[in-house]
Amino acid sequence: MQLLGLRTALTAVAVIHLSLPVFTLHVSLPESSPANSQPLLSSLLSFSIEEDRWPEWAGTNSRNEFTYNALQNYASLTGQPPSIRVGGDSADRTTWSPTVALNEDTFLPPTELTPYPEATQVVVGDAFYTLARFLPRGTRTVWGVNLGADNATNAVNTARAIVRAFDNDEVNASGVVLDRLELGNEPDIYNFTGLRTGDWTPEMYIEQWTASAGPVVEAVGINGRGGPVTLQGASFGTQQFTPRQVFDLGLLDSKAGQAISVISQHRYSVISSCNGTAVSLAEFMSKDAVRSNLTIFEADIAASKAKGLGYIIGETNSAACHGSPGLSNTAGAALWAIDYVLQAATLGVQEVYFHEGIGYTYNFVSPPVSLNRSATNGAPLDPPQPPHVQPVYYAGLVIGTLVGNSSTSQIVELTVDDDNVTGYAAFEGGWLVRAAFVNLRAWLSGSNGNRPSVHLDFHFARAGSARSGNVTVRRLAMEHADDLKGLKWAGQSFETADARPVGQVVQERVAVGNGVDLHASEAIVLSF
C-alpha cells in the first residue's frame, strides 16, 4: 500500500449489518500534498455554448437572468465564474456580415431523434459578440472562428469583429475577458461532416489552418502565446488526428502556431446515442468507463505540457449528438460528471468544458429560455417548459465546493480498492483541507431491497497518525440514479424558477474517528 507516494490507498473489509453486506473502507488520507498533485483551477468546470443560439443564452437587450444566476452560483463557490467557449459545429457555419445587426440563422426541421437541430447557416454582426457583457464579471471567453469554409477573408473579418467587441466600452466595463480564438471545430473529422471531401490528412489540415490563422494573427495583432489574446489549438473531436501528430508535422512552427497557448481535445463518453442506441445508466456511470474515456489523452497531455502549452477538454458531455434521454438527464449523470471532471484534473487537464445548446438533453441548464417542444422526443409542449436546471447541474456545486475559492488548491486521486467508490483529496498551501467521495453504484427506481452503503473510516498518512476533532460533511442526495429531479446539495434545491437555491443548508458535524457512511448513488464533500 502506497501512502504518500503516487496514490493513497483505501482497503475494504466486509462486515455484517442488518443482513446486508456493508463495507468499511479504511481510508488513508495524506496530510500534505503528494508530489503528483495537480493544480485545481477555479474554472475547472467550464462550459461550451453552441454558437448558433448564443444570444438566447446571454440575453439580447439585457442579461438572461437564469443563465447569469446559474453561473453565478458556481462563481460563489470558487471565486471565479466558469470559462465560456462559444463555438461548436455551428462555428464552422458562421459568417460575419457588416449588414447584419445580431444574427440570422437557418435550421433544418426538427425530428424525434434531433428535436433541436443546429443551424446549417449562421450570419452574425458585431452585436453578436458584444453580448458577452451579460456574463458574470470575470468570465474568460473563447470564441470559435470558421475554418470549415476555408475562407481566410471571413476568418479575418470574424476575428476583427470579436476583438473589436472586447474593446467596446460596455464589454470592458463588464469585466468579461477575451482569452482565445479557436479556428475550426473538430477539423480532424471534416471529411466525415462534409466540410472536406476525399482524402483529409493532418498535413492538409495544418496547411489550411495556417493559411487562415496566419492572416488572423496579423490582422488582430496577436504576437506569440504571451497574451492577452492567443489561439486555441487542435480542438480535435476524435483520435483521427492527435496533438502529438500535428506537433511533429510542424503545427507550432509558423507565427500563427507560435500564438497557440492551449491545446484542446473533445470527448463524448457515449457515441452510440447519435443513432438512438441506448447504453445502460449503470454501465455509463461505472468507474472503469469514466477512466477509459480519459486515459486516452494522457500522452497528448504530456506532449502539450512538454511544449509549454496548457491543455483542456474543450468540448465534452455524457452522450454525443445532444445527449441520450434517460441517461444524460438523470441524477446518475451528476455523479458521473463529478468523477469525470475530478479524474480529468488529476491527469493534468486544466479545464473541462461541458457543451450546452438550446433543447439539448445533456444540458446543465435546460434551457435558458422556454421550450415549446420536448427536448427528448420533439413532442409539442403546452404550456412551454420554463428554464430549469437539470440533475447534472448539481455536479458543479460539488466540484466547486471541493475546488474552493483560494485559487491555489491542488488535487490528488485516492486509490479506492472498490469497484464503485472513488475519492479525491484537495490541498491548500500544501495541506489537506477537503476530500470528495462518489459512490457510482447505480441505485435505480427498480432496485430491490435496502439501499447499500459503505462506511468510510479515516486514517491520516503522517507517521501513522490519527487526527482528532470533527469533519464537516455535505451530501449530494438523490432517491435514485435514474431520477430526473428532486436532488439536493447540502439540503438545498436549485430546481427553482430563477436557479437560486431554496431550503436551509444542511451540514453534518462528525467526529473524525467515527467515520462517515456513503450510500449507493451519492456523493459527499468533507471539510477538515
Side-chain angles (χ1 to χ4, degrees), residues 441-490:
R441 181 170 179 174
W443 182 251
L444 305 173
S445 55
S447 297
N448 297 315
N450 294 315
R451 188 172 184 170
S453 65
V454 297
H455 182 76
L456 305 177
D457 183 41
F458 304 116
H459 172 82
F460 294 87
R462 185 174 64 176
S465 66
R467 182 190 280 197
S468 60
N470 295 324
V471 60
T472 299
V473 184
R474 279 164 281 199
R475 294 183 185 271
L476 176 60
M478 61 191 69
E479 289 294 324
H480 308 97
D482 52 350
D483 288 347
L484 305 183
K485 60 183 179 179
L487 289 74
K488 288 188 177 179
W489 167 239

Side-chain angles (χ1 to χ4, degrees), residues 88-95 144-152 154-155 182-191 193-197 200 205 208-209 212:
D89 287 342
S90 55
D92 275 324
R93 303 165 190 156
T94 297
T95 303
V145 175
N146 188 341
L147 179 67
D150 194 20
N151 183 331
N154 180 60
E182 177 187 69
L183 276 80
N185 176 72
E186 300 180 354
D188 55 317
I189 56 172
Y190 276 177
N191 57 336
T193 57
L195 293 173
R196 299 293 184 273
T197 58
W200 177 239
Y205 158 70
Q208 293 183 21
W209 182 89
S212 285

Side-chain angles (χ1 to χ4, degrees), residues 171-521:
V171 178
N172 271 326
S174 74
V176 178
V177 176
L178 171 61
D179 231 8
R180 299 184 296 278
L181 301 176
E182 177 187 69
L183 276 80
N185 176 72
E186 300 180 354
D188 55 317
I189 56 172
Y190 276 177
N191 57 336
F192 175 77
T193 57
L195 293 173
R196 299 293 184 273
T197 58
D199 291 335
W200 177 239
T201 66
E203 291 87 350
M204 295 169 68
Y205 158 70
I206 293 171
E207 179 182 0
Q208 293 183 21
W209 182 89
T210 305
S212 285
V216 163
V217 298
E218 290 289 346
V220 300
I222 298 176
N223 293 299
R225 63 180 68 151
V229 180
T230 60
L231 299 185
Q232 184 159 294
S235 303
F236 299 148
T238 68
Q239 298 292 294
Q240 185 164 313
F241 299 170
T242 68
R244 287 164 290 152
Q245 189 179 32
V246 294
F247 291 164
D248 290 343
L249 291 171
L251 175 68
L252 304 178
D253 294 344
S254 65
K255 182 177 179 180
Q258 291 166 13
I260 293 174
S261 64
V262 171
I263 292 297
S264 168
Q265 287 181 280
H266 298 177
R267 185 68 176 178
Y268 287 86
S269 291
V270 177
I271 303 298
S272 60
S273 51
C274 289
N275 59 23
T277 303
V279 172
S280 76
L281 182 57
E283 180 184 357
F284 162 70
M285 287 172 59
S286 76
K287 189 173 173 179
D288 286 345
V290 170
R291 278 139 191 80
S292 66
N293 271 290
L294 290 169
T295 53
I296 59 171
F297 296 124
E298 286 182 304
D300 288 317
I301 295 169
S304 299
K305 294 194 171 185
K307 297 288 187 181
L309 303 172
Y311 184 93
I312 65 171
I313 297 179
E315 183 182 317
T316 193
N317 218 306
S318 52
C321 299
H322 306 173
S324 178
L327 183 149
S328 302
N329 57 342
T330 66
L335 299 171
W336 162 81
I338 295 165
D339 191 45
Y340 183 81
V341 173
L342 297 181
Q343 179 65 200
T346 67
L347 298 178
V349 178
Q350 294 170 307
E351 293 177 318
V352 181
Y353 289 70
F354 281 83
H355 199 54
E356 309 281 296
I358 298 296
Y360 294 1
T361 305
Y362 54 44
N363 281 355
F364 279 52
V365 175
S366 183
V369 293
S370 294
L371 296 183
N372 59 14
R373 60 180 180 272
S374 168
T376 58
N377 59 19
L381 296 175
D382 186 15
Q385 184 180 42
H388 61 284
V389 302
Q390 296 218 110
V392 70
Y393 179 83
Y394 287 85
L397 302 170
V398 177
I399 293 164
T401 300
L402 182 71
V403 170
N405 61 9
S406 72
S407 74
T408 61
S409 53
Q410 296 174 290
I411 189 171
V412 68
E413 183 181 7
L414 305 168
T415 298
V416 183
D417 188 17
D418 184 279
D419 290 340
N420 298 301
V421 180
T422 67
Y424 301 88
F427 306 85
E428 290 177 3
W431 295 102
L432 175 68
V433 289
R434 290 175 293 278
F437 294 92
V438 186
N439 191 333
L440 294 164
R441 181 170 179 174
W443 182 251
L444 305 173
S445 55
S447 297
N448 297 315
N450 294 315
R451 188 172 184 170
S453 65
V454 297
H455 182 76
L456 305 177
D457 183 41
F458 304 116
H459 172 82
F460 294 87
R462 185 174 64 176
S465 66
R467 182 190 280 197
S468 60
N470 295 324
V471 60
T472 299
V473 184
R474 279 164 281 199
R475 294 183 185 271
L476 176 60
M478 61 191 69
E479 289 294 324
H480 308 97
D482 52 350
D483 288 347
L484 305 183
K485 60 183 179 179
L487 289 74
K488 288 188 177 179
W489 167 239
Q492 292 189 305
S493 172
F494 289 74
E495 296 161 32
T496 60
D498 60 1
R500 293 298 194 189
V502 295
Q504 295 295 315
V505 173
V506 175
Q507 299 182 143
E508 304 164 36
R509 291 288 287 169
V510 179
V512 171
N514 291 343
V516 177
D517 289 338
L518 177 65
H519 298 95
S521 297

Side-chain angles (χ1 to χ4, degrees), residues 99-180:
T99 62
V100 171
L102 188 61
N103 67 306
E104 297 174 357
D105 297 350
T106 303
F107 292 93
L108 292 172
T111 66
E112 183 176 350
L113 185 60
T114 309
Y116 288 87
E118 298 157 10
T120 56
Q121 184 178 24
V122 183
V123 184
V124 304
D126 282 3
F128 184 83
Y129 302 108
T130 61
L131 299 180
R133 68 188 184 277
F134 295 135
L135 294 171
R137 176 170 291 276
T139 301
R140 308 191 72 85
T141 64
V142 180
W143 288 84
V145 175
N146 188 341
L147 179 67
D150 194 20
N151 183 331
T153 299
N154 180 60
V156 166
N157 288 339
T158 302
R160 282 177 168 158
I162 295 168
V163 171
R164 191 162 56 240
F166 283 84
D167 284 335
N168 174 279
D169 289 343
E170 286 186 286
V171 178
N172 271 326
S174 74
V176 178
V177 176
L178 171 61
D179 231 8
R180 299 184 296 278

